[in-house]
Amino acid sequence: MIEDAATSAAEEYLDEVLAVVERVPSGRATTYGLVAEAVAEVLGRGGPRQVGQVMARAGSGVAWWRVVNAAGAPPAHHLDRALTELRAEGCPLTRDGRRVDLRRAVWLP
């Protein structure tokens, strides 16, 4: 029964993270921390690392490239693909083209 409750809580968290990420509009981006804050408002738990874990494990069905770290950098192991997607959407990037310009592109959940 404890295992079922833990599994249910993990699935609830996963579902809420993905629901927030699904709302990020094309051409915009948000951060792991902002997603975590939005989820915490609903569920009262979690943080940026937990959001990152959800995205790594189950984020392939959503626009994962729209979620970046606090410096605007996409996941290092998917950097080229993320930047390609962001450019295609017209998301503002920094001058060097390696990070999202969060001042212009941030979406607040």
Side-chain angles (χ1 to χ4, degrees):
M1 182 184 270
I2 292 174
E3 186 174 314
D4 289 342
T7 300
S8 177
E11 288 177 14
E12 179 183 47
Y13 191 83
L14 181 144
D15 290 344
E16 191 62 31
V17 166
L18 296 179
V20 171
V21 174
E22 284 179 340
R23 296 191 341 247
V24 181
S26 178
R28 304 289 296 278
T30 195
T31 66
Y32 296 102
L34 290 170
V35 173
E37 287 178 21
V39 172
E41 286 181 19
V42 175
L43 301 179
R45 59 190 156 83
R49 289 181 191 258
Q50 289 78 18
V51 170
Q53 290 171 352
V54 167
M55 296 304 295
R57 292 183 184 148
S60 65
V62 296
W64 55 267
W65 56 88
R66 296 180 189 153
V67 183
V68 298
N69 69 22
H77 54 288
H78 295 297
L79 181 64
D80 291 336
R81 170 123 186 262
L83 290 171
T84 297
E85 296 285 353
L86 290 163
R87 282 187 193 102
E89 293 181 353
C91 186
L93 300 177
T94 57
R95 283 183 176 220
D96 66 5
R98 305 296 287 169
R99 293 180 292 122
V100 170
D101 181 347
L102 288 173
R103 290 180 191 208
R104 296 185 315 162
V106 73
W107 176 79
L108 302 173

